[in-house]
Amino acid sequence: MSTSLSGARRARELAELASGREVDLLVVGLGVTGAGVALDAAARGLRVAALDAHDLGFGTSRWSSKLVHGGLRYLAAGHLGLAYECAAERHILLRRTAPHLVSALPFVLPLTPLVSPARTALSRVGFAAADALRAVAGTPAAALPRARRIGAAEVLRLLPAVRRAGLRGGLVQWDGQLVDDVRLVVALARTAAGRGARILTRCRVEAVDGGTVAVLDTLTGSRHAIRARAVVNATGVWAQHLDPTVRLRPSRGTHLVLRAEALGHPAAALVVPVPGERNRFVFAVPQPDGLVYLGLTDEAADGPVPDVPEPTTAEIRFLLETLNATLGAALTDADVVGAFAGLRPLLASRAGGADGSAGRAVRTADLSRRHLVHTSAAGITTVVGGKLTTYRRMARDAVDAAVAHAGLPAAACRTAWLPLVGAAPASVLARVPAPARLVARYGAEAPAVLALAQGDPELLAPIADGTEVTGAELLWAVRHEGALDVDDLLDRRTRIGLRPADRACALAAARAVFARQEP
Ligand SMILES: Cc1cc2nc3c(=O)[nH]c(=O)nc-3n(C[C@H](O)[C@H](O)[C@H](O)COP(=O)(O)OP(=O)(O)OC[C@H]3O[C@@H](n4cnc5c(N)ncnc54)[C@H](O)[C@@H]3O)c2cc1C
């Protein structure tokens, strides 16, 4: 079956389900977790539908730091099992399922006067342990080089903006980086579609009653009842709407978007310790297309969950001030071209009192990043918590639970060996006849994106000043990635929307794409 998603396919498949065709498993939510569940279930031979109220990757999954973590932070906190899980999942993404979307990135902790000798020693021990975990997970040093100490000259070569005075060298450690988090979600959804899953955006699940799911098509305003033998709730920070027994304590993480030139075009991520905290850092992580994301914060976000969280002025200030302590020349608000915030779907701790008890206050930074799979008395399996890095295990555990609960005839999980659309071994990707920028986003499909410009070379030019995105990518998103409007194009299939000024310039080109007819 085709992996292409489009408005026409959506309309056809929604009509089939609305007319009474039953599915084995219906997934609510198409963030990384829900898209992962859809793929896992479809790959086991189940009939699957996956619905999102908005779009692929509309929620937290598009606001992440875009890192595929090896679990260093969990090691430092003593959570060995979780750290191993992260390293094992990083290996699978990097080497088997999404080598086109994940690459190795050096992280450098400059040894400035802010980093005491004791902290340096502690960091070295942590990096060595992370290296050991990498090896145990089977990732060769050729793919993710070993951690090591480097001299001041090399620190400055990788991170030209770091303050020279008092620099004693640096520690470098390697981890995984996604080209963009939404591209992973889109690849998961399309791979699931290729195995027959119906991927339906703009479909809000309003209620689940036994085997009947009430759905509002937000494009037309019409309501439908879809029959499903099992339901998985993968709605992240909104999970409580479908299962009020799940207790979450969301925490807001904010990033700033900077132009790479403001930091001298860094070739590594800059790690800055947060003063007065033992295991917290701010990261300035280089991105494709000449940008750097500076993150991140960890603030409790109690109260109603907004569709799109907003960074606060205090968070923006904290990030800039923490970074500036390590730079030769301080950045100012004028260097910030965008900012975004996301809500982590953290599981509430009893001590945090989020369960209604008058417990000890727990900082969200200390709450567990483990995931929860829970089947309610109403028969809804909720999967929540975890990390983008561990989405595959979350999906596996959720499908296992739903299959067991509903008695579905399903094969064993096989996603550890299932390449996503566009995936190919690194040696093959290196020879794909297309610009590296496109290969990093579309992998082996990059030539097909280029081919859309045949007879219309203008489609290969950037669509506006300030961006590298081409018209061919927008057209591809409409024809093959289920983009239904300009917001899908600018805010999710591409990330131009992270820089409001560039978004305004790109709007006309995005509108024009919808005026083109299918060939
Ligand atoms: C600031 C920040 C940085 C992070 N960085 C990293 C990182 O670098 N690496 C990492 O591994 N993890 C990271 N994480 C964690 C990771 O981003 C999340 O764990 C993950 O994205 C959660 O995905 P999800 O699919 O569970 O939820 P979401 O992405 O929020 O998806 C839920 C979906 O459900 C839909 N939905 C809600 N209600 C309904 C309904 N009634 N009907 C239909 N659809 C509905 C929403 O529209 C949404 O698309 C970060 C998190 C944050 C906040």
Side-chain angles (χ1 to χ4, degrees), residues 265-506:
H265 296 281
L270 165 59
V271 182
V272 184
V274 174
E277 304 224 22
R278 207 172 61 86
N279 191 20
R280 255 193 89 196
F281 300 87
V282 160
F283 301 91
V285 184
Q287 305 292 324
D289 295 351
L291 298 172
V292 169
Y293 297 157
L294 170 65
L296 78 166
T297 60
D298 197 329
E299 299 291 329
D302 301 322
V305 177
D307 273 358
V308 178
E310 293 290 339
T312 65
T313 313
E315 287 171 311
I316 295 172
R317 198 118 314 285
F318 161 80
L319 288 170
L320 272 184
E321 280 172 9
T322 309
L323 175 70
N324 281 340
T326 294
L327 300 185
L331 301 190
T332 67
D333 289 348
D335 294 304
V336 179
V337 295
F340 59 93
L343 297 179
R344 299 177 185 86
L346 300 184
L347 301 171
S349 138
R350 288 192 68 78
D355 55 357
S357 67
R360 170 176 63 85
V362 170
R363 299 179 327 154
T364 49
D366 297 332
L367 289 178
S368 170
R369 266 57 171 170
R370 287 181 198 281
H371 65 270
L372 170 86
V373 174
H374 157 83
T375 302
S376 69
I380 301 174
T381 299
T382 292
V383 52
V384 73
K387 303 279 297 170
L388 196 124
T389 305
T390 54
Y391 81 84
R392 198 193 63 80
R393 282 194 190 218
M394 296 171 66
R396 180 197 67 188
D397 295 351
V399 176
D400 280 347
V403 159
H405 182 80
L408 301 175
C413 173
R414 48 181 307 253
T415 50
W417 295 95
L418 202 78
L420 305 186
V421 284
S427 56
V428 175
L429 291 172
R431 295 196 308 274
V432 170
R437 185 182 164 278
L438 288 186
V439 178
R441 286 175 169 72
Y442 304 94
E445 291 192 321
V449 179
L450 277 183
L452 289 179
Q454 260 166 20
D456 192 352
E458 239 183 59
L459 284 172
L460 293 181
I463 56 168
D465 285 346
T467 179
E468 307 260 321
V469 173
T470 60
E473 289 166 74
L474 299 188
L475 201 54
W476 178 264
V478 174
R479 293 192 182 159
H480 301 285
E481 297 181 342
L484 298 179
D485 63 19
V486 293
D487 295 341
D488 290 359
L489 287 180
L490 299 178
D491 298 329
R492 288 170 289 274
R493 302 306 177 281
T494 71
R495 305 309 299 275
I496 300 171
L498 293 178
R499 289 110 54 207
D502 294 346
R503 188 187 198 280
C505 295

Side-chain angles (χ1 to χ4, degrees), residues 55-194:
D55 184 24
L56 306 177
F58 180 85
T60 302
S61 296
R62 70 175 150 144
W63 306 126
S64 82
S65 304
K66 292 116 181 71
L67 299 175
V68 176
H69 292 290
L72 175 58
R73 183 194 158 143
Y74 308 125
L75 267 183
H79 302 303
L80 201 60
L82 196 54
Y84 173 74
E85 196 172 283
C86 287
E89 291 304 314
R90 179 182 64 184
H91 177 77
I92 290 171
L93 278 162
L94 191 64
R95 304 288 283 180
R96 287 190 224 143
T97 57
H100 55 318
L101 301 178
V102 184
S103 54
L105 178 73
F107 284 71
V108 175
L109 171 67
L111 300 176
T112 66
L114 295 174
V115 184
S116 68
R119 187 164 200 159
T120 306
L122 209 63
S123 298
R124 288 193 86 151
V125 172
F127 287 179
D131 250 354
L133 212 54
R134 167 192 59 72
V136 172
T139 313
L144 275 181
R146 291 196 175 87
R148 64 193 172 95
R149 185 167 177 150
I150 55 177
E154 194 168 356
V155 172
L156 292 168
R157 187 182 63 76
L158 292 167
L159 302 168
V162 164
R163 186 179 300 164
R164 288 156 195 257
L167 186 64
R168 313 191 299 281
L171 299 180
V172 57
Q173 185 250 344
W174 292 70
D175 216 337
Q177 181 185 31
L178 277 162
V179 66
D180 181 59
D181 41 18
V182 181
R183 296 231 56 81
L184 176 63
V185 179
V186 170
L188 284 164
R190 287 188 52 217
T191 311

